[in-house]
Amino acid sequence: MRHLLEVDDLTGAEIARVLDLAEVAEPPQVLAGSGLALIFEKPSARTRNSMEMAVVQLGGHPVYIQGDEVKMGVRESVGDVARTLASYHAAIGARVFEHDKVEGLAAADVAPVVNLLSDAAHPMQALADLLTLRQEWGELEGRTVAYVGDANNVARSLALAAGLTGVKVRVGSPPGYQFSDTDLDRIRSVGTDVTVHDRPQEAVEGADAVYTDVWTSMGQENEAEERGRAFEGWSIDSRLMTGVAQGGVFLHCLPAHRGEEVAAEVIDGPSSRVWPQAANRMHSARGLLAFLLGEV
């Protein structure tokens, strides 16, 4: 039994296979007659819709479960939630605040567990990112992605996924919002060629893709004013994009705040691949589930 709690639970070769499965014309019906439990402590338009449709396309039935319906660790233990849901479903997906909850679900070892997002990781987004870039470039190895903004869970999973597939990473963040030494050690442990920059211009210079995320994520609303000050001057605008390599593209995991972390002329401009990236959340989810439930 395999779980996906962070993207480096897969090898580089396995990631390539997941991306291949994401693009097959007739997906294998690995969930025919089966359900997939989807626990959402944190709501999400893209994650819910992409996962539910991926399950349907694999022949299964998705069941959306709000966090208050199970109250993991409060109403009953995380392990007991896993055992209950495994009585009905072929696998469990969970979008949670604390990473230890997806670890607890996986520790029960009663059904494959997929981390749909936690405070530590966002592996499903990273797979969609890689699929989008592979469709753009054909090959991933040797390319460079610049991530500009808060070195958060999205950035961490992206950097790990990049290292596993031969993509170089530059991370530009203001002081206080950079990767910790522990994060960098983890990222480099999978072979990622990663450099850290304290100016956005340095990070994007010559990059093949520029990636950003919101400055204030869900659950950080009380930090919004402080973060706004810290990230002043870090917006991805057309002037900053002039530093990228010829044909460079722009990515964003969404939701986006035009006029804050990205200018409208960039996210809505010709270099943007944001909407194929959003669509690939479904395709990459389908590929991952086909791999975990059909080939492992």
Side-chain angles (χ1 to χ4, degrees):
M1 185 180 299
R2 293 281 295 277
H3 309 288
L4 185 77
L5 305 189
E6 178 54 290
V7 71
D8 62 349
D9 288 334
L10 301 170
T11 66
E14 288 173 336
I15 289 174
R17 180 57 182 157
V18 167
L19 300 186
D20 289 342
L21 287 167
E23 297 189 292
V24 298
E26 297 183 7
Q29 300 299 286
V30 296
L31 279 168
S34 300
L36 195 147
L38 298 170
I39 304 171
F40 278 72
E41 289 187 342
K42 300 177 71 173
S44 171
R46 276 155 298 281
T47 301
R48 179 177 181 179
N49 282 276
S50 63
M51 290 300 300
E52 289 196 6
M53 289 310 302
V55 171
V56 169
Q57 290 168 9
L58 294 171
H61 181 78
V63 176
Y64 177 80
I65 304 166
Q66 294 183 345
D68 283 347
E69 295 179 69
V70 288
K71 292 188 176 180
M72 291 188 291
V74 177
R75 184 180 177 190
E76 57 186 321
S77 72
V78 175
D80 282 356
V81 170
R83 295 178 189 96
T84 298
L85 295 178
S87 301
Y88 319 121
H89 299 283
I92 301 169
R95 180 177 166 93
V96 300
F97 285 96
E98 299 90 5
H99 190 75
D100 61 4
K101 288 183 179 175
V102 290
E103 291 178 331
L105 290 168
D109 210 31
V110 288
V113 173
V114 176
N115 179 8
L116 306 181
L117 176 138
S118 68
D119 56 356
H122 201 348
M124 299 303 290
Q125 181 65 55
L127 292 173
D129 300 338
L130 291 181
L131 181 59
T132 306
L133 293 175
R134 194 176 77 164
Q135 290 170 342
E136 181 72 21
W137 300 330
E139 296 290 337
L140 292 168
E141 189 168 0
R143 295 287 188 163
T144 300
V145 173
Y147 181 94
V148 175
D150 186 9
N152 57 12
N153 49 358
V154 171
R156 192 176 300 110
S157 293
L158 175 68
L160 288 167
L164 290 165
T165 53
V167 178
K168 300 177 183 178
V169 179
R170 300 178 190 161
V171 181
S173 309
Y177 298 92
Q178 300 170 341
F179 280 134
S180 67
D181 290 341
T182 301
D183 286 333
L184 288 171
D185 287 344
R186 169 80 182 278
I187 291 165
R188 289 176 174 140
S189 72
V190 302
T192 308
D193 181 347
V194 57
T195 57
V196 177
H197 305 268
D198 56 12
R199 296 180 66 245
Q201 296 82 0
E202 294 175 355
V204 307
E205 186 65 32
D208 297 296
V210 177
Y211 196 131
T212 196
D213 190 5
V214 295
W215 292 340
T216 304
S217 297
M218 189 183 303
Q220 299 172 334
E221 289 81 3
N222 62 336
E223 303 173 19
E225 185 175 343
E226 177 184 350
R227 284 172 171 267
R229 290 193 298 269
F231 283 96
E232 186 174 353
W234 285 81
S235 180
I236 309 298
D237 56 21
S238 56
R239 183 176 179 179
L240 189 65
M241 289 294 291
T242 61
V244 306
Q246 185 174 2
V249 297
F250 172 76
L251 300 178
H252 193 307
C253 57
L254 300 176
H257 298 153
R258 290 165 176 81
E260 292 185 15
E261 76 277 0
V262 62
E265 71 262 17
V266 174
I267 193 170
D268 299 319
S271 64
S272 177
R273 298 296 182 271
V274 166
W275 303 115
Q277 181 188 8
N280 279 333
R281 287 292 303 276
M282 177 180 69
H283 301 306
S284 58
R286 189 178 64 236
L288 175 72
L289 292 173
F291 175 77
L292 289 179
L293 300 175
E295 298 193 358
V296 173

